[in-house]
Structure formats: C-alpha cells, structure tokens
Amino acid sequence: MIKNRAFLKWAGGKYHLIDAIRRHLPDGDLLIEPFIGAGSVFLNTDYPRYLLTDINADLIYLYQLLKDNPERFIDDAKHLFSTETNDADCYYQLRQEFNLSQDPYHRSLLFLYLNRHGYNGLCRYNKSGGFNVPFGRYKKPYFPASELEYFAQKAKQAEFVCCSYEQTFDRVQTGDVVYCDPPYAPLTATASFTSYTSGGFNEGQQLHLAQLAELVSHQRGATVLISNHEIAFTRKIYSAAQLSSLKVRRTISRKGQKRVKVDELLALYPAQPRTDSVAYLVESAKLR
C-alpha cells in the first residue's frame, strides 16, 4: 500500500510508523481517532468511515473547512507561500494576526502558513492560548497542494469533531476500532509533556486514557490501540494491554546528531466479549 503524507508538518507524526500501526489495527466499519494530529493514520488506512476528533479547535476547523470547500481553501492558502511571506517580520506579524483573529476561515489559512513556516512543524500554545512557535527560517517552505487535495478527497468519509478524548470515548460502540496518539509521556522526569493545546496533558490524563481503553474493550467490545514512549510509567499504566516495542528516530532537534532512536510502545486492547457485570458498570461510573 502506497503511503500518503499529511499536509501538515507534525512533531511526533506517525508517517514512519504507519506499517507497524496498521499491523495492529483490525478490520472494521469505523476507525475513531481521539487525537487526530496531522492525520497520518487516517490517510493511510482504508476504513469505510472515520470519526476524527481533537481538543485543538484550530486543527478541526482547518480539516472541516478543507472538507467542505477544498478548491477555495487551497487557492487562498497558496498565496501565503511566497518569497515575501517567508520572512521573520512577516511571520511574526501573521502569527500575531492569527492570535487576535476570531474568524475560523482566516485562522485556518494562517494555521497552515504557521505550520509550514514555523520551527520544525511544532504546534504549541502558551498558557493564554496564544500560538508561540518561532520562525523556522526555511529556504523555501513547501506548499502541499497535492497533499491537501488528497486529504480533502478522503475527508468525505470522515466526521470531524472538536472535543476531548473522554467525549470521544463516550461514542465508542461494539466493533469500533480506536487508535490513540496522545501527547507522549516525557522520557525523563525533568521533561515537559507536549503542550499542543494550552492545557497540556498530564500523568493523570495518561492513566485515565489507559483506563478508558481497557474499559471499552471489555464493556463495549471495541479494539483500542495506543502509542506512547516506552518507559516504566507507560508499561505500568498499559499493563492490561498486549505490548509491542520498536525503535523510532526522533527528528525534533535541528542538529542531526541529536536525532537519536528512542523506544516506542504500542499498547493493544483487543475487543472482548461484552459484559454486564456489576464490577464493570461500577468502574464505568467512576471513570465518567
């Protein structure tokens, strides 16, 4: 199967892991992704329907607008990719314009521009919700016209919703397949959780996600696959899952010598026969 690249640059994107991920995902009628990110898994799987969600409203607005009116969006976006706009002063002016704008269409155009012109494809907000990624200083940022067109075509099979992962799990039904790519747990005690929204993603949320995955696999007969760093913490919280590990090259650093391979963990919760036991009903109530 030919692999398709996302139109967004994305730190932690799953393009290079897609073969391993596909091997763990069963067939089904619906694939649900509570952390859609750049959408590499969506773009490289073949399910009849998709439910793609994220807490990042800018991401979901962009995807929905591209689905609804791809020709207009692509035509408008390409004008932001020029010699004049590939300049630090212009970048910071447009970044401020993005942070001040309340118009979803304008923000979506600028989100694509910032993603392709900002440092290493980072998506980062400060505690006030302001996008704060610095200028990337690329010689000629690539305008992903063909990638945008492919995404828009495949998006006809998808529903995009801005909501939390908990709200997404509420919609999981028997036979559904769920792939979760949450902000990763830090490799060291001093590292920070990825803050792709102003709220971040802490250890309690990592644990809660694991609990929900185990719950829906037993109570609702859904399959859940989660990816994360392989560290003692993640092995502990995913202890009820089938675990697979592999090496992944990190590319977040500008310096090549710092692009080292790290351990990646895939935690699979296979669909189990549905149970109406009191224990699971009580646990379900606790987690909501």
Side-chain angles (χ1 to χ4, degrees):
M1 183 177 179
I2 297 175
K3 290 200 293 186
N4 299 286
R5 287 191 178 275
F7 67 84
L8 292 174
K9 297 171 66 176
W10 206 258
K14 292 299 176 285
Y15 179 80
H16 296 292
L17 272 181
I18 194 63
D19 290 333
I21 290 170
R22 283 193 302 222
R23 285 195 294 269
H24 288 82
L25 292 175
D27 294 334
D29 292 327
L30 176 67
L31 177 67
I32 300 174
E33 292 194 58
F35 307 89
I36 177 59
S40 288
V41 174
F42 159 60
L43 293 169
N44 290 284
T45 51
D46 191 23
Y47 289 86
R49 296 183 298 119
Y50 295 84
L51 173 59
L52 307 173
T53 77
D54 203 283
I55 197 66
N56 187 323
D58 292 316
L59 201 59
I60 297 302
Y61 284 145
L62 168 56
Y63 290 160
Q64 189 62 52
L65 286 168
L66 184 58
K67 174 184 176 180
D68 292 342
N69 200 339
E71 294 83 5
R72 178 194 174 197
F73 184 88
I74 294 170
D75 185 62
D76 288 343
K78 70 182 180 184
H79 297 296
L80 289 170
F81 288 70
S82 67
T83 303
E84 291 74 20
T85 58
N86 188 28
D87 171 82
D89 289 340
C90 181
Y91 176 87
Y92 289 115
Q93 179 182 341
L94 291 176
R95 191 181 74 175
Q96 182 181 25
E97 191 174 311
F98 171 84
N99 285 331
L100 294 174
S101 176
Q102 298 296 319
D103 177 69
Y105 186 80
H106 189 53
R107 282 181 67 91
S108 294
L109 291 172
L110 291 177
F111 187 84
L112 175 59
Y113 164 82
L114 293 170
N115 174 264
R116 282 283 169 177
H117 291 76
Y119 177 73
N120 267 4
L122 290 175
C123 182
R124 189 183 66 196
Y125 300 79
N126 59 31
K127 291 182 179 180
S128 299
F131 191 87
N132 65 356
V133 176
F135 183 54
R137 303 187 181 280
Y138 299 108
K139 185 176 181 180
K140 186 178 180 181
Y142 171 68
F143 180 61
S146 59
E147 291 86 347
L148 285 161
E149 291 169 358
Y150 183 81
F151 189 102
Q153 180 64 29
K154 192 169 176 64
K156 295 177 182 178
Q157 303 166 240
E159 177 186 1
F160 299 99
V161 181
C162 181
C163 65
S164 68
Y165 70 92
E166 296 102 329
Q167 292 169 316
T168 305
F169 268 85
D170 282 341
R171 297 180 60 167
V172 175
Q173 302 294 326
T174 302
D176 290 347
V177 181
V178 185
Y179 171 65
C180 298
D181 182 26
Y184 276 17
L187 287 169
T188 65
T190 56
S192 298
F193 282 95
T194 302
S195 186
Y196 77 122
T197 66
S198 58
F201 202 81
N202 59 35
E203 287 190 2
Q205 291 168 304
Q206 297 277 1
L207 174 60
H208 189 222
L209 176 62
Q211 292 171 329
L212 287 174
E214 183 179 3
L215 181 69
V216 300
S217 71
H218 285 82
Q219 187 184 6
R220 303 184 197 171
T223 298
V224 184
L225 179 68
I226 306 177
S227 57
N228 213 318
H229 282 141
E230 182 176 11
I231 56 176
F233 171 70
T234 54
R235 280 196 161 271
K236 179 179 180 180
I237 65 173
Y238 301 145
S239 60
Q242 298 174 10
L243 302 180
S244 303
S245 59
L246 60 157
K247 293 285 187 180
V248 180
R249 185 172 296 279
R250 297 189 68 184
T251 56
I252 193 65
S253 173
R254 186 185 290 271
K255 297 181 180 180
Q257 65 268 28
K258 291 187 178 180
R259 295 178 180 177
V260 297
K261 288 189 175 181
V262 297
D263 293 322
E264 182 99 1
L265 192 65
L266 292 175
L268 178 67
Y269 296 83
Q272 303 293 327
R274 293 189 63 180
T275 176
D276 294 322
S277 69
V278 173
Y280 270 104
L281 291 175
V282 170
E283 188 63 24
S284 175
K286 290 179 181 178
L287 292 175
R288 292 181 181 277

